[in-house]
Amino acid sequence: MNGFHYVGGELHVEGVALSTVAERHGTPCYVYSRELLTANYRAYERALAGMPSLVCYALKANSSLAVVDLFGRLGSGFDIVSEGELARVVAAGGDVRKVVFSGVGKSDREMEAALAAGVLCINVESASELGHLAAVASRLGVRAPVSFRVNPEVDPGTHPYIATGLRESKFGVAFAEAAALYRHAAALPSIEIRGIDMHIGSQLIDLAPIRDAATRVLALVDALAADGIHLGHVDVGGGIGIRYRDEVPPALDDYARMLRELFRGRRETLLVEPGRRLVGDAGVLLTRVRYLKRGTPRDFAIVDSAMNDLLRPSLYDAWHAIDPVRPRQGETRRYDVVGPVCESADFLGLDRALVLAEGDLLAIRGAGAYAMSMSSNYNSRPRACEVMVDGGDTLEIRRRETIADLYAQERRLR
Ligand code: LLP
């Protein structure tokens, strides 16, 4: 399996030329491969084979119905963070009993929806949230399945905006307070304790912080057991990174080996919440060069996608490979690849060596994760369409927004 790769001088996926996708569906356009998504899921499954475990795909990375549908068919559970994501799982035919509900700010209404749907567990992140959940559950006459997300207070060594397990982070229950909270929760009639949860950050390249954090969490599990509180599962979160440029992310087999060692002789089911690793490299953002413009010190390639389609470079200084769909011969120039949005932060890649002509197609890699799901209509730009390549065919899984869509929810003054 080759991923997005060149055949006869043109970038293809699953035997389909990306220029064909552009002709059929226009640009900008997110292009995903069913085969690559499937292979990524299977790789997780294979790595964890033999361990009692459940993969809960973190929907926030890419919550498109077809993607959720595909993972559901493959047997995945889901990690959600809102009522909207819950609705997407249901609409995509996913198994709600395999859903874990994360997030620091769930509303009573969201808790109610999750309890009514029958999710596997709600990952509670504070004493106040527990109070609300207990009240909602008792009003509904049910017991809420609960797991506390604890903050293991380790440095994951990732971009500060996507580190979540530092002491100062808003996420999770402070490690020192977790045991007391479990004891308090165990005494509440409308709460049923299921497990424990952690997630230390995203785009993790080093396994050591995950091992340190999980070790702390497992020690807490043992301390709770000594107190008579027995947990059914341990959720070690997501966060395994991918290669955007020259990172060397952990092999899933090494990750699984580490987990096997940590879980040797234990009875709890292992849960993992991968997002990026399942979808990131299975998608590109296909875009066309509109104008080339001389600049100082570098030239500009002004393309038809922008920060509203892919926010990661602007928000995190993230680097995404930008490859010509049909590389041409000629003089390499250095370009800032930018969009039409009226912000200096609107760039997709800076200082890229490319041979370009106006009208050329470019593929921005790593756009399967946190691309469409973080998109916006800024500058009143309709959102791009999404296409799933599936065994030689292209299926538009989300139509391009129209201009009318942009203000369909709005009204003028009376
Ligand atoms: N579980 C929880 C509780 C999370 O908060 C996240 C991501 C995940 C799982 C999945 O993490 P992953 O396996 O995808 O790393 N927008 C940022 C990433 C934000 C991640 C937020 N939480 C980006 O584009 O890099």
Side-chain angles (χ1 to χ4, degrees), residues 52 73 94 112 116 122 161 164 168 186 193 207 210 216 262 271 278 282 324 342 366 370 391 393:
R73 290 180 199 216
E112 212 172 303
I122 299 184
Y161 286 10
T164 50
E168 61 269 29
I193 292 176
L207 288 176
I210 310 180
R216 289 200 85 185
L262 288 169
L271 265 58
L278 289 179
C342 299
Y370 302 110
D393 224 349

Coordinates of all heavy atoms in Angstrom, one line a residue, residues 52 73 94 112 116 122 161 164 168 186 193 207 210 216 262 271 278 282 324 342 366 370 391 393:
P52 N -7.2 -7.2 25.8 CA -8.6 -6.7 25.9 C -8.5 -5.2 25.7 O -8.0 -4.5 26.5 CB -9.0 -7.1 27.3 CG -7.9 -7.9 27.9 CD -6.7 -7.7 27.1
R73 N -17.9 0.7 10.8 CA -18.0 -0.6 10.2 C -16.8 -1.5 10.5 O -16.9 -2.7 10.5 CB -18.0 -0.4 8.6 CG -19.3 0.2 8.1 CD -19.2 0.3 6.6 NE -20.2 1.3 6.2 CZ -20.8 1.2 5.0 NH1 -20.6 0.1 4.2 NH2 -21.7 2.1 4.6
G94 N -22.8 4.5 13.9 CA -21.8 4.0 14.9 C -22.4 3.4 16.1 O -23.6 3.6 16.4
E112 N -27.3 14.8 29.4 CA -28.6 14.1 29.2 C -28.6 13.3 27.9 O -29.0 12.1 27.9 CB -29.7 15.2 29.2 CG -31.0 14.7 29.8 CD -31.9 15.9 29.9 OE1 -31.6 16.9 30.6 OE2 -33.0 15.8 29.3
A116 N -29.0 9.3 27.7 CA -30.2 8.8 26.9 C -29.7 7.8 25.8 O -30.3 6.8 25.5 CB -31.0 9.9 26.4
I122 N -18.7 8.5 30.6 CA -18.5 9.9 30.5 C -17.2 10.2 31.2 O -17.0 9.8 32.4 CB -19.7 10.7 31.1 CG1 -20.9 10.3 30.3 CG2 -19.4 12.2 31.1 CD1 -22.2 11.1 30.6
Y161 N 0.1 24.5 22.5 CA -1.4 24.6 22.3 C -2.0 23.2 22.3 O -3.2 23.1 22.4 CB -1.7 25.3 21.0 CG -1.5 26.8 21.0 CD1 -0.9 27.4 22.0 CD2 -2.0 27.5 19.9 CE1 -0.7 28.8 21.9 CE2 -1.8 28.9 19.8 CZ -1.1 29.5 20.9 OH -1.0 30.9 20.8
T164 N -1.7 18.7 26.9 CA -2.9 18.8 27.8 C -2.6 18.2 29.1 O -3.5 18.3 30.0 CB -4.1 18.0 27.1 OG1 -3.6 16.7 26.7 CG2 -4.6 18.7 25.9
E168 N -0.4 22.9 34.6 CA -1.1 24.1 34.5 C -2.3 24.0 33.5 O -3.0 25.0 33.2 CB -0.2 25.3 34.1 CG 0.5 25.2 32.8 CD 1.9 24.5 33.0 OE1 2.1 23.7 33.9 OE2 2.8 24.7 32.2
A186 N -17.9 7.2 44.4 CA -18.3 5.9 44.7 C -19.5 5.8 45.7 O -20.3 4.9 45.7 CB -17.2 5.1 45.3
I193 N -19.0 3.9 38.7 CA -17.6 4.1 38.3 C -17.2 3.0 37.3 O -17.3 1.8 37.6 CB -16.7 4.2 39.5 CG1 -17.0 5.5 40.3 CG2 -15.2 4.2 39.1 CD1 -16.3 5.7 41.6
L207 N 7.6 8.2 23.2 CA 6.7 7.4 24.0 C 6.9 7.5 25.5 O 6.0 7.2 26.3 CB 6.9 5.9 23.7 CG 6.4 5.4 22.3 CD1 6.8 4.0 22.1 CD2 4.9 5.6 22.2
I210 N 4.3 9.2 27.7 CA 3.0 8.4 27.8 C 3.3 7.3 28.8 O 2.4 7.0 29.6 CB 2.7 7.8 26.4 CG1 2.7 8.8 25.3 CG2 1.3 7.1 26.5 CD1 2.3 8.3 24.0
R216 N 1.9 6.3 36.3 CA 1.3 7.0 37.4 C -0.2 6.7 37.6 O -0.7 6.4 38.7 CB 1.3 8.6 37.2 CG 2.7 9.2 37.4 CD 2.6 10.7 37.6 NE 2.5 10.9 39.0 CZ 2.3 12.1 39.6 NH1 2.2 13.2 38.8 NH2 2.1 12.3 40.9
L262 N 3.1 -2.5 30.4 CA 2.4 -1.8 31.5 C 1.2 -2.6 32.0 O 0.9 -2.6 33.2 CB 1.9 -0.4 31.0 CG 3.0 0.6 30.8 CD1 2.5 1.8 30.1 CD2 3.6 1.0 32.2
L271 N -8.3 1.2 26.8 CA -8.9 2.0 25.8 C -7.9 3.0 25.2 O -7.0 3.5 26.0 CB -10.1 2.8 26.4 CG -11.5 2.3 26.3 CD1 -11.6 0.9 26.9 CD2 -12.5 3.2 26.9
L278 N -5.0 7.9 12.9 CA -5.9 7.1 12.0 C -6.2 7.8 10.7 O -6.5 7.2 9.7 CB -7.2 6.8 12.8 CG -7.1 5.8 13.9 CD1 -8.5 5.6 14.6 CD2 -6.6 4.5 13.4
A282 N -4.1 10.1 5.6 CA -5.0 9.5 4.6 C -5.7 10.5 3.8 O -6.7 10.2 3.1 CB -6.0 8.5 5.3
P324 N 3.5 19.3 -5.9 CA 2.8 19.5 -7.2 C 2.1 18.2 -7.6 O 2.7 17.1 -7.5 CB 3.9 19.9 -8.2 CG 5.1 19.9 -7.4 CD 4.9 19.4 -6.0
C342 N -7.7 37.7 3.9 CA -7.0 39.0 4.2 C -6.4 39.0 5.6 O -6.9 39.6 6.5 CB -8.0 40.1 4.1 SG -8.6 40.2 2.4
G366 N -1.1 15.5 4.7 CA -1.5 15.5 6.1 C -2.8 16.2 6.4 O -3.0 16.6 7.6
Y370 N -7.6 17.2 11.4 CA -7.7 18.6 11.9 C -7.6 19.6 10.7 O -7.0 20.7 10.8 CB -6.6 18.9 12.9 CG -6.7 18.0 14.1 CD1 -5.7 16.9 14.3 CD2 -7.7 18.1 15.0 CE1 -5.8 16.1 15.4 CE2 -7.9 17.2 16.1 CZ -6.9 16.2 16.3 OH -7.0 15.3 17.3
G391 N -11.5 2.6 -4.2 CA -11.3 1.5 -5.2 C -11.5 2.0 -6.6 O -12.3 1.5 -7.3
D393 N -12.9 4.7 -7.6 CA -14.1 5.6 -7.8 C -13.9 6.9 -6.9 O -13.1 6.8 -5.9 CB -15.3 4.9 -7.3 CG -16.5 5.2 -8.3 OD1 -16.3 6.0 -9.1 OD2 -17.5 4.5 -8.1

